[in-house]
């Protein structure tokens, strides 16, 4: 496990054994690399190794720790998805995603705004995961606080 920040949290066994293309695999991110809970007042970076082992798509969604609903900010965005916001990334090298109250200089299109005073957590989802995701040879990096 990667510093406890991500883990496989669930999958639909009936789909992954019968119809792997329809399976979904999730990793929960509730703490940063140091073990601290994720804080909406701090800025973070998550590096996703490429290519992500999924036949359909992948996404990262942020949830408010109190309400368990999508994070709510004036940005009105809680997810970064491979079919939409991330459709033009270079899949030959890792991609950095950003979370926090202020946008990074060179990554605003790969950023989700968080709210100061609110904790949050993330789910990384792969739809149609392939073998590297199941066997653990592919996994997301830790969420790193940007200081």
């Amino acid at each position: 496990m990667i510093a406890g920040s991500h883990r496989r949290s669930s999958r639909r066994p009936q789909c992954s054994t019968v119809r792997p293309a329809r399976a979904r695999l999730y990793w929960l991110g509730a703490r940063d690399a140091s073990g601290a809970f994720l804080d909406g007042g701090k800025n973070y970076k998550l590096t996703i190794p490429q290519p992500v082992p999924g036949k359909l798509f992948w996404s990262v969604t942020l949830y408010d720790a109190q309400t368990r609903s999508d994070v709510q900010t004036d940005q009105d965005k809680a997810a970064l998805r491979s079919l939409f916001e991330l459709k033009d990334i270079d899949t030959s090298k890792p991609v950095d995603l950003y979370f926090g109250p202020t946008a990074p200089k060179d990554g605003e299109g790969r950023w989700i705004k968080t709210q100061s005073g609110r904790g949050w957590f993330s789910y990384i989802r792969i739809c149609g995961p392939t073998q590297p995701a199941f066997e653990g040879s592919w996994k997301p990096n830790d969420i790193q606080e940007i200081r």
Side-chain angles (χ1 to χ4, degrees), residues 79-111:
L80 295 170
R81 303 161 293 180
S82 64
L83 294 177
F84 297 99
E85 297 85 2
L86 304 172
K87 70 180 185 285
D88 296 323
I89 63 167
D90 180 353
T91 59
S92 69
K93 61 184 182 181
V95 62
D96 292 330
L97 308 179
Y98 299 94
F99 317 112
T102 55
K105 282 192 265 185
D106 297 323
E108 191 164 347
R110 294 173 280 117
W111 166 66

Side-chain angles (χ1 to χ4, degrees), residues 108-129:
E108 191 164 347
R110 294 173 280 117
W111 166 66
I112 298 174
K113 187 173 185 177
T114 59
Q115 185 177 356
S116 188
R118 307 287 299 194
W120 59 273
F121 62 94
S122 67
Y123 272 109
I124 297 172
R125 174 176 59 169
I126 299 177
C127 291

